[in-house]
Amino acid sequence: MGEDLLRVAVLSLVEGITEFLPISSTGHLIVGKALLGFDALGTVFEIVIQIGAACALILYYRKSLGAQAAQFRVNAEVRRFWQLILVACLPAAALGLLLEAQIETALFTPQVVALALIAGGVALLAVEYYMGGKPCGDARALQFAELTLRQALMVGAAQALALIPGVSRSGSSIVGGLLAGMNRREATEFSFYLAIPLLGGATLYKLVKSLTVLGADELLLLAAGALLSGLFAWLAIDWLLGYIARHSFVLFGVYRIVAGALVLLAVAGGVIA
């Protein structure tokens, strides 16, 4: 149990730091579990631990969310914003429910993660090239009234690709937002808001479905992982919003390609299976 707690702490650090960066937290967890030899919870761990990140988001945006909740019944702009959030969540939620078993059986492997990391890195670099070196000073906070149904649909369609581990939910939704005409900050914040219902819903669904096979030790590991990942996720949210005010996503694109290549080398060398 002690060794498992230590492994969970390491993986929670990985999850918290990577959840909202466009580099795939699930992909990093799959590779991390393979390197650490941790398989006590199967695929339940990669999904349920994300509740910590969702809680970190709620706490980070607590003032804004509280104001929106107070105005929801009287403010049409707030209601419309959350309708767009729902629209953007639907593709990933529907496909996830339909293909859950196939995805976890066939795609939760280091090899798939490596290829998805590389493909996503190329996509990030291509989008930055497409933006033509657009300055990073376009860092206005998210403007609810300016969002359109088309933008929400584009983000939702892109986000659904993240069902493939290694693609990155935040990365795909940010790319979708950029291609839909959002600036870097708007695309990133919209991705954050999307994570609240999507990560929260996926986590609760998986947890309830798995309760009958989880013992007290397993629940303790999950609780510890969620708590620690939430703490690290909070720090990552604040850092990322500050980073994109001054930089593009090129660094993340390069990192993904290098990380994917290293994972392929590790698999080929028998370091991980």
Side-chain angles (χ1 to χ4, degrees):
M1 183 64 176
E3 289 184 1
D4 281 344
L5 275 173
L6 181 59
R7 293 188 182 101
V8 164
V10 173
L11 292 171
S12 298
L13 172 62
V14 172
E15 156 64 23
I17 291 175
T18 60
E19 179 60 55
F20 299 114
L21 304 183
I23 56 176
S24 179
S25 62
T26 301
H28 279 72
L29 284 177
I30 290 171
V31 174
K33 286 177 64 177
L35 285 170
L36 294 174
F38 178 76
D39 58 0
L41 296 165
T43 58
V44 175
F45 182 79
E46 287 96 315
I47 297 170
V48 173
I49 195 178
Q50 294 174 333
I51 193 65
C55 290
L57 266 182
I58 292 172
L59 287 173
Y60 190 87
Y61 284 108
R62 62 191 181 281
K63 292 182 179 178
S64 176
L65 290 170
Q68 291 172 49
Q71 298 173 16
F72 190 83
R73 296 183 64 181
V74 296
N75 191 325
E77 184 180 312
V78 171
R79 291 197 301 274
R80 179 176 173 277
F81 173 73
W82 283 99
Q83 288 168 357
L84 293 177
I85 291 288
L86 177 62
V87 167
C89 284
L90 284 176
L95 287 174
L97 288 172
L98 287 173
L99 303 174
E100 176 190 2
Q102 295 90 326
I103 290 171
E104 292 183 10
T105 301
L107 301 182
F108 272 50
T109 67
Q111 295 92 327
V112 170
V113 168
L115 295 174
L117 282 171
I118 293 170
V122 171
L124 271 179
L125 295 179
V127 168
E128 286 292 351
Y129 178 79
Y130 166 77
M131 293 178 71
K134 190 175 180 180
C136 300
D138 55 350
R140 280 186 316 150
L142 186 63
Q143 304 296 307
F144 295 171
E146 296 177 7
L147 295 178
T148 66
L149 179 61
R150 171 183 165 275
Q151 287 177 316
L153 288 172
M154 285 188 69
V155 172
Q159 184 175 241
L161 294 173
L163 292 170
I164 303 170
V167 168
S168 172
R169 187 209 60 80
S170 61
S172 58
S173 57
I174 288 171
V175 166
L178 292 173
L179 293 177
M182 297 180 189
N183 65 44
R184 289 179 181 85
R185 170 111 185 188
E186 288 172 340
T188 302
E189 286 206 277
F190 192 64
S191 171
F192 286 173
Y193 274 102
L194 283 176
I196 296 173
L198 203 58
L199 295 186
T203 295
L204 292 175
Y205 168 78
K206 188 68 174 180
L207 184 59
V208 170
K209 188 176 178 182
S210 306
L211 275 177
T212 56
V213 297
L214 294 175
D217 288 348
E218 287 82 2
L219 289 173
L220 176 61
L221 291 174
L222 288 173
L227 181 63
L228 290 171
S229 69
L231 173 62
F232 295 124
W234 171 285
L235 299 175
I237 294 167
D238 195 54
W239 178 85
L240 182 60
L241 289 175
Y243 179 86
I244 61 171
R246 303 180 301 276
H247 305 88
S248 71
F249 289 108
V250 168
L251 177 63
F252 297 114
V254 173
Y255 169 82
R256 291 180 61 108
I257 293 171
V258 172
L262 289 175
V263 173
L264 286 178
L265 287 173
V267 171
V271 177
I272 56 178

